[in-house]
Amino acid sequence: MIYTTTIRSELEDYIEREGLNLSQLGRRAGLNAGTVSSLMKGSRVLAVDQLDRITRVLGLPEGYYYEHYIQECIVETVPNWRRIRPFLFRCAELDCLNCIRQSVQLLLDNLTYSPLLFEVAEEFYTTGKFKAAAILYESVAASERRQHSERLAFCQYRLYMLRLGDNQENNLQAAIQFEPFVERLDELDQLDALRELANTYKSLRRWDKVDEIAAELGIKAKIQLGLTSQPEAKREAYHKKLKRPLFAYLAFSDLLRGGVCDARGAYEEALEYAYRYADLSWVKNRDEEAGKWIQLFEGWAKANIFVCKLMMGNESVLHEYAEFIESDKEEILIGILNITKAANRFDFNIDIILEKFKSRLMPYLSLQSESAGIYTAQIIDEESTECCYQLGYYSLWNELYSEGFRYVLAGLEKAEFINNEARILSFVRLFEQFRDYASFDIQQQYQNLIKKELGLNEKKISRVVGSQ
């Protein structure tokens, strides 16, 4: 865009209107007269802090002249990183994302700016300026797409993490787009990247992919554990990037693969994996952090041993498992889901357990989920939606109609929120199966939901129900 006016001409008009000299203008802006004189003569290029001061003097909103600034200080002069870097940070603070995008497009004609912009992106990322960071990562990745560099791979890693959200279809596309870049990452970054990918595919119930990636995670973790013969100081520096102790990645691989076996109904094999990560006596490092993770894996193993026995029809562990999850709030959602699935499969009576946990389940059934422990927000979204289905199924089959329809409607809304079409259809089928027992108000809520939010009509519903 070509601007017919310049910042300097706007300032000249202001000086003339107000009848000021340069010293008076300087006092108003908090700048010395020499600086103001240099700026007015054009012998000095504005710094963004000086521009902000002048903008305030003119009584204009913050960032008002930022697009002019790009034209005058990047397009019309030789770019100076000492000016550009603070400008990018101010744009991020003011959420002037279009100005960041314009600046970066101009700078990346020169690839020497690529590592500098990557460093800024990392600072944005660590300080929570995620939208600004995403623009820089996308731009750096585009500029280096033919370089096959580690920086390109790491940009894709960051973009993958930034793209994860409530929409499961979008999460799938983000995982597919990122996966080819994992091998280009640093060996240690690969461990966390594989862990994140496995969690995403787990939330999508893509069990073949979870198993494949978890197996790869286990192999790479074993390789890194084999490097422990290095001198201690070097080893400590090498592993400082990891988000958790190295042994935890190997144990997490077993945890994931056990979950795959559970999903496939291979409970004996799932038990073998649970016993494997329950016993971490081989871990040599026993500092506070290691002790915390060992305790966590012992707890998860205990929970999953209960689950395997439940899913094989062992009702005797039902109340012991309920007592276990009561002591750990992070396990309540998954625990109730497992208990209800077992009850639906083997016709257990769990009325007392459900009544006990009803109030503590409510936060998980809201639309917006948060991560908890090893469970990402995406996993909790999926598990809470399935939990609604299992609870609805249990209640309706046990003639607890009011309760059952409440779970069905809550689950239907959540399935739509996370864009899980298969789950949406399962709720529609369940509701239609028991429609005759729904009150007039419940049927109205259902109709409003499927028409307004899901866009289904009677013809589509009939087709869905008829395909059972």
Side-chain angles (χ1 to χ4, degrees):
M1 181 182 291
I2 304 299
Y3 291 93
T4 56
T5 61
T6 65
I7 298 169
R8 191 183 312 125
S9 66
E10 296 269 305
L11 198 52
E12 287 171 348
D13 289 345
Y14 176 78
I15 289 172
E16 185 175 343
R17 283 198 314 272
E18 297 290 319
L20 302 174
N21 59 39
L22 296 185
S23 295
Q24 291 170 324
L25 175 63
R27 282 195 295 273
R28 290 190 182 188
L31 300 170
N32 66 55
T35 298
V36 174
S37 176
S38 298
L39 293 173
M40 297 303 296
K41 291 176 183 176
S43 59
R44 174 182 292 194
V45 179
L46 273 168
V48 69
D49 174 64
Q50 294 166 342
L51 176 60
D52 287 339
R53 290 169 182 264
I54 288 169
T55 303
R56 284 194 292 271
V57 168
L58 297 179
L60 296 169
E62 289 183 302
Y64 183 85
Y65 285 116
Y66 279 8
E67 292 195 3
H68 286 74
Y69 189 77
I70 293 169
Q71 179 70 23
E72 294 180 27
C73 298
I74 299 180
V75 176
E76 296 176 2
T77 63
V78 177
N80 183 315
W81 185 245
R82 292 177 64 185
R83 288 196 303 271
I84 294 168
R85 188 177 186 278
F87 176 63
L88 293 174
F89 275 87
R90 278 297 286 153
C91 288
E93 287 172 13
L94 298 178
D95 209 28
C96 297
L97 301 181
N98 194 48
C99 288
I100 294 176
R101 194 173 286 108
Q102 288 179 47
S103 301
V104 171
Q105 287 171 352
L106 292 167
L107 292 172
L108 281 176
D109 289 337
N110 183 345
L111 287 179
T112 59
Y113 284 105
S114 184
L116 298 172
L117 290 169
F118 176 77
E119 289 176 7
V120 173
E122 285 290 273
E123 290 190 56
F124 286 169
Y125 186 88
T126 55
T127 54
K129 299 179 179 69
F130 297 130
K131 290 181 181 178
I135 293 170
L136 296 187
Y137 288 130
E138 287 169 356
S139 301
V140 172
S143 72
E144 300 202 0
R145 63 186 179 278
R146 294 187 179 90
Q147 307 300 315
H148 301 284
S149 66
E150 185 180 318
R151 183 162 54 240
L152 166 63
F154 201 82
C155 284
Q156 293 293 348
Y157 181 21
R158 290 295 201 212
L159 287 168
Y160 160 65
M161 295 301 297
L162 289 170
R163 287 166 181 159
L164 292 178
D166 300 311
N167 189 305
Q168 289 194 327
E169 183 59 34
N170 291 347
N171 291 345
L172 174 60
Q173 294 307 314
I176 291 171
Q177 186 174 339
F178 168 59
E179 195 173 339
F181 293 93
V182 173
E183 287 294 328
R184 301 188 204 174
L185 291 169
D186 171 89
E187 290 89 344
L188 296 181
D189 288 327
Q190 287 181 30
L191 297 179
D192 280 310
L194 288 169
R195 179 180 56 81
E196 297 288 359
L197 268 176
N199 274 330
T200 298
Y201 282 120
K202 180 182 177 183
S203 72
L204 296 166
R205 307 183 74 78
R206 302 288 179 115
W207 299 116
D208 287 347
K209 291 298 295 182
V210 176
D211 199 39
E212 173 193 330
I213 292 169
E216 189 176 352
L217 175 61
I219 291 168
K220 291 182 181 294
K222 283 180 181 177
I223 291 171
Q224 294 302 318
L225 283 164
L227 299 176
T228 54
S229 58
Q230 296 181 53
E232 186 174 346
K234 184 178 179 180
R235 189 168 69 246
E236 184 178 345
Y238 188 57
H239 289 160
K240 68 181 180 180
K241 291 172 63 177
L242 291 171
K243 295 180 180 178
R244 42 184 55 75
L246 186 52
F247 73 84
Y249 294 89
L250 180 57
F252 193 66
S253 169
D254 289 333
L255 177 63
L256 286 166
R257 300 195 75 184
V260 172
C261 294
D262 178 83
R264 291 171 173 169
Y267 301 115
E268 293 286 356
E269 193 175 349
L271 267 176
E272 291 177 17
Y273 278 111
Y275 288 131
R276 197 181 300 177
Y277 57 82
D279 180 14
L280 297 174
S281 58
W282 53 271
V283 177
K284 294 177 181 178
N285 180 12
R286 293 282 170 161
D287 61 17
E288 184 177 349
E289 180 72 1
K292 182 191 81 172
W293 281 100
I294 289 170
Q295 187 175 6
L296 284 171
F297 278 105
E298 287 174 349
W300 293 327
K302 185 176 181 180
N304 288 330
I305 289 167
F306 280 135
V307 172
C308 290
K309 291 179 178 179
L310 263 183
M311 293 305 174
M312 289 189 283
N314 187 344
E315 189 175 3
S316 65
V317 300
L318 189 57
H319 291 283
E320 191 176 356
Y321 181 41
E323 289 175 8
F324 173 81
I325 65 172
E326 187 176 15
S327 64
D328 187 349
K329 66 178 183 179
E330 291 177 2
E331 292 295 320
I332 288 174
L333 172 65
I334 308 299
I336 293 299
L337 171 57
N338 289 325
I339 287 171
T340 312
K341 282 171 68 176
N344 289 334
R345 183 174 182 179
F346 298 106
D347 199 25
F348 298 156
N349 186 314
I350 57 170
D351 292 353
I352 295 174
I353 293 174
L354 293 184
E355 185 62 33
K356 184 176 185 179
F357 286 96
K358 184 187 296 185
S359 62
R360 298 169 72 176
L361 269 178
M362 288 305 106
Y364 294 107
L365 306 185
S366 62
L367 288 186
Q368 198 76 41
S369 298
E370 296 181 0
S371 59
I374 63 165
Y375 304 114
T376 65
Q378 291 75 35
I379 289 175
I380 291 176
D381 275 336
E382 168 57 25
E383 301 287 13
S384 60
T385 306
E386 187 183 2
C387 193
C388 282
Y389 179 83
Q390 295 293 340
L391 288 167
Y393 185 97
Y394 176 86
S395 301
L396 291 173
W397 275 101
N398 286 280
E399 301 180 2
L400 303 169
Y401 298 120
S402 176
E403 194 86 349
F405 286 120
R406 185 166 64 87
Y407 287 123
V408 170
L409 293 179
L412 184 58
E413 189 173 11
K414 184 140 191 170
E416 188 275 335
F417 179 72
I418 64 175
N419 193 26
N420 187 326
E421 185 175 345
R423 190 68 74 191
I424 289 171
L425 297 181
S426 70
F427 281 112
V428 169
R429 291 188 181 109
L430 184 57
F431 186 94
E432 294 297 329
Q433 188 175 359
F434 288 91
R435 174 191 276 273
D436 291 345
Y437 300 96
S439 68
F440 177 78
D441 287 343
I442 291 292
Q443 294 202 35
Q444 284 296 110
Q445 291 178 47
Y446 172 71
Q447 292 296 334
N448 291 338
L449 184 60
I450 62 174
K451 287 180 180 178
K452 291 181 181 178
E453 298 196 33
L454 307 182
L456 297 177
N457 56 37
E458 293 293 339
K459 187 175 180 180
K460 289 181 179 179
I461 293 170
S462 298
R463 191 161 60 244
V464 167
V465 177
S467 66
Q468 293 184 82

